[in-house]
Amino acid sequence: VVALRARTDTSAADGAAAQAEAAPERPAVQPLELPLDHFLPHDYVPDERVRLQVYQELAAATEEAQLKTLQRRLKDRFGTPPGPVENLLYSLRVKLAAQAAGLIAVNVDGDVLELRVPQGDGRDLAGIAAGHRHLQAQRTRLRFNWRADDDWQEQLLRILGELAEQPVAA
């Protein structure tokens, strides 16, 4: 299990500050853990400075369209992305979806992914769980048995989408 940590530089932080003024505040999802190896392999992006720059650009993405553009650029510059890079892009999609859903953490606990919402969130987690196999609701979290579902990655994105659509209690 590898935890994805955002890497930023001053210009990325400045850009994020400008976007924060224009967009509603989304909570940070810390930690964001997924049962995937997700990184830029040295043999895919050999130059360390370039690899760091790519990480910074990926971490600064705030919407799916930016990730798709970066994915195209990676393919154009370095060739077809290997599995860990595809997993990295997927992890960033999960990060964006988890932020849009108002989650505060995504944790791996053995065979289970825990999706944590803030205390007093007020959304109907049991209602969401009822519509999915291998998903259980608790007061402030959804527990998803990812190993029991062959298409767990798509299921996770669907669950996050449903969470994002439900209004949070005021």
Side-chain angles (χ1 to χ4, degrees), residues 42-163:
H42 294 277
D43 59 347
Y44 185 65
V45 183
D47 184 275
E48 188 173 334
R49 285 189 319 227
V50 173
R51 197 169 43 259
L52 180 59
Q53 181 182 6
V54 171
Y55 273 123
Q56 290 169 339
E57 290 174 5
L58 289 168
T62 58
E63 56 189 47
E64 177 68 25
Q66 291 172 310
L67 285 178
K68 285 183 179 180
T69 298
L70 290 167
Q71 184 174 15
R72 277 192 307 275
R73 276 203 225 143
L74 284 171
K75 184 175 181 183
D76 291 345
R77 185 166 180 189
F78 303 107
T80 302
V85 177
E86 291 291 342
N87 291 343
L88 178 61
L89 292 163
Y90 172 78
S91 297
L92 292 167
R93 287 183 176 93
V94 169
K95 175 186 141 189
L96 295 177
Q99 287 174 330
L103 294 186
I104 57 174
V106 176
N107 297 97
V108 177
D109 183 13
D111 293 348
V112 174
L113 281 174
E114 288 190 343
L115 313 176
R116 292 186 16 220
V117 298
Q119 291 282 5
D121 181 85
R123 286 183 277 186
D124 181 16
L125 300 182
I128 291 173
H132 293 274
R133 307 179 307 246
H134 316 297
L135 186 64
Q136 297 175 335
Q138 296 178 346
R139 196 166 52 94
T140 60
R141 67 191 72 207
L142 288 168
R143 294 180 49 85
F144 177 50
N145 185 340
W146 64 274
R147 285 200 195 263
D149 209 324
D150 288 338
D151 68 340
W152 71 268
Q153 291 175 306
E154 289 302 316
Q155 282 284 2
L156 177 58
L157 289 174
R158 278 194 287 276
I159 293 164
L160 293 171
E162 288 179 34
L163 274 168

